[in-house]
């Protein structure tokens, strides 16, 4: 079976200081993302690790990866090649796709059908845009079921056991048919690092690059504004025994009542 990873090369926004954001705010488009390094989103890294764990159990699984963007995504595809992803595809597009989830889903659906993938993993949402629609739209276009908040993937015979966890419950699903899995990584999964020999070999790995043209976006960013979120705080300036007693009596005791 072929398992396909769909990821987005995101700009590393943590490299920007507050002054950089304020300087770019009047432009309405934000900082120049071409000046920032690109990386794979946290959810997508967790998805890739789940795929590798499944292949460790069943070496017959074939892993593939696809992304839409420009040449800045090539290092991530080569990183996946070093980890054993046998097919890497870059759909080159210069258009702004943050507000075009339907177009992205359509391109991914075509890749799923072409590569005959039986399972598709992708992140819940990217750090920019954050529309969270691509996975649902992809599942609708393919006519496949979609599981969200995925945090585990285990091989079970000819199928898979998928674990999902949200703020209210943890569930396990036995999947015996093609499906789209929206992975949510809360820090419990980290993508492994390939060895130096594998990285050197992957430096010359073939990347299938194909052009795709997107229609002009009908939605664009008009302005940026900083959202200030402040919380009140009370400093208890008393000796430790009295401070602990006051903390309990005035703030904690009432919260512990059923």
């Amino acid at each position: 079976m072929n398992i396909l990873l769909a990821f987005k090369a995101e700009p590393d926004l943590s490299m920007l200081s507050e002054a950089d954001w304020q300087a770019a705010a009047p432009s309405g488009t934000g900082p120049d993302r071409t000046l920032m390094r690109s990386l794979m989103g946290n959810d997508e890294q967790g998805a890739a690790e789940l795929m590798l764990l499944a292949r460790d159990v069943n070496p017959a699984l074939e892993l593939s990866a696809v992304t839409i963007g420009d040449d800045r995504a090539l290092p991530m595809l080569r990183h996946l090649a070093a980890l054993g992803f046998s097919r890497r595809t870059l759909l080159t597009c210069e258009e702004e796709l943050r507000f075009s989830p339907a177009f992205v889903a359509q391109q991914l659906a075509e890749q799923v059908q072409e590569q005959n993938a039986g399972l598709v993993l992708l992140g819940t949402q990217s750090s920019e845009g954050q529309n969270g629609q691509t996975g649902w739209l992809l599942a609708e276009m393919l006519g496949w079921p979609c599981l969200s908040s995925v945090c585990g993937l285990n091989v079970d015979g000819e199928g898979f056991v998928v674990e999902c966890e949200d703020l209210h419950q943890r569930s396990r699903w036995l999947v015996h048919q093609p499906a789209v899995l929206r992975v949510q990584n809360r820090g419990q999964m980290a993508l492994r690092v390939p060895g130096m020999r594998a990285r050197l070999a992957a430096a010359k790995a073939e990347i299938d690059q194909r052009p795709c043209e997107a229609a002009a976006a009908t939605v664009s960013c008009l302005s940026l504004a900083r959202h200030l979120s402040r919380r009140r705080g009370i400093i208890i300036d008393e000796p430790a025994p009295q401070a602990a007693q006051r903390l309990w009596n005035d703030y904690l005791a009432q919260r512990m009542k059923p």
Side-chain angles (χ1 to χ4, degrees):
M1 175 185 285
N2 181 20
I3 305 179
L4 179 64
L5 169 69
F7 71 93
K8 179 179 180 180
E10 305 176 2
D12 187 2
L13 301 179
S14 64
M15 299 178 63
L16 298 178
S17 64
E18 182 178 344
D20 295 327
W21 282 103
Q22 292 178 346
S27 67
T29 58
D32 187 357
R33 291 173 296 159
T34 62
L35 302 179
M36 293 174 274
R37 69 172 182 175
S38 296
L39 44 78
M40 192 185 306
N42 188 48
D43 290 342
E44 286 91 345
Q45 291 187 39
E49 181 61 25
L50 290 179
M51 295 168 63
L52 292 169
L53 291 173
R55 193 194 57 183
D56 291 342
V57 177
N58 183 4
L61 293 176
E62 181 180 353
L63 307 184
S64 304
V66 61
T67 186
I68 304 178
D70 52 27
D71 292 345
R72 289 176 294 169
L74 290 176
M76 281 153 281
L77 289 170
R78 299 196 186 281
H79 182 92
L80 293 174
L83 292 174
F85 280 68
S86 58
R87 183 171 180 177
R88 292 80 48 186
T89 304
L90 171 61
L91 303 177
T92 58
C93 182
E94 301 297 334
E95 299 294 333
E96 174 59 67
L97 299 177
R98 281 185 294 175
F99 307 109
S100 304
F103 171 79
V104 174
Q106 180 62 46
Q107 297 300 314
L108 295 179
E110 294 177 2
Q111 287 297 310
V112 170
Q113 295 171 349
E114 178 181 334
Q115 300 189 28
N116 194 27
L119 208 61
V120 181
L121 278 75
L122 70 169
T124 299
Q125 61 184 15
S126 63
S127 62
E128 57 171 5
Q130 299 184 350
N131 56 69
Q133 299 179 32
T134 305
W136 301 114
L137 291 171
L138 175 61
E140 182 178 1
M141 293 176 182
L142 295 172
W144 292 3
C146 181
L147 295 177
S148 61
S149 301
V150 173
C151 61
L153 179 66
N154 302 297
V155 177
D156 183 71
E158 297 297 327
F160 296 90
V161 175
V162 180
E163 298 182 9
C164 304
E165 182 179 13
D166 55 25
L167 297 177
H168 305 287
Q169 64 180 1
R170 186 181 183 95
S171 57
R172 300 174 75 245
W173 303 82
L174 185 59
V175 178
H176 283 292
Q177 66 182 60
V180 175
L181 307 182
R182 300 172 70 247
V183 178
Q184 187 169 27
N185 186 7
R186 297 186 176 90
Q188 75 274 27
M189 296 174 286
L191 181 60
R192 64 190 68 178
V193 178
M196 182 58 68
R197 183 175 299 178
R199 296 175 65 179
L200 291 174
K204 299 181 180 179
E206 180 181 355
I207 306 296
D208 184 12
Q209 301 188 42
R210 305 182 182 184
C212 65
E213 297 183 1
T218 57
V219 179
S220 60
C221 180
L222 298 179
S223 63
L224 293 173
R226 183 185 180 192
H227 176 67
L228 295 178
S229 178
R230 296 177 177 175
R231 302 176 62 183
R232 293 178 54 191
I234 298 177
I235 299 177
I236 303 178
D237 188 12
E238 298 178 6
Q242 291 82 351
Q245 187 63 45
R246 182 181 172 188
L247 177 64
W248 171 258
N249 293 335
D250 296 349
Y251 304 101
L252 299 182
Q254 56 185 349
R255 299 187 180 185
M256 299 297 292
K257 296 179 180 180

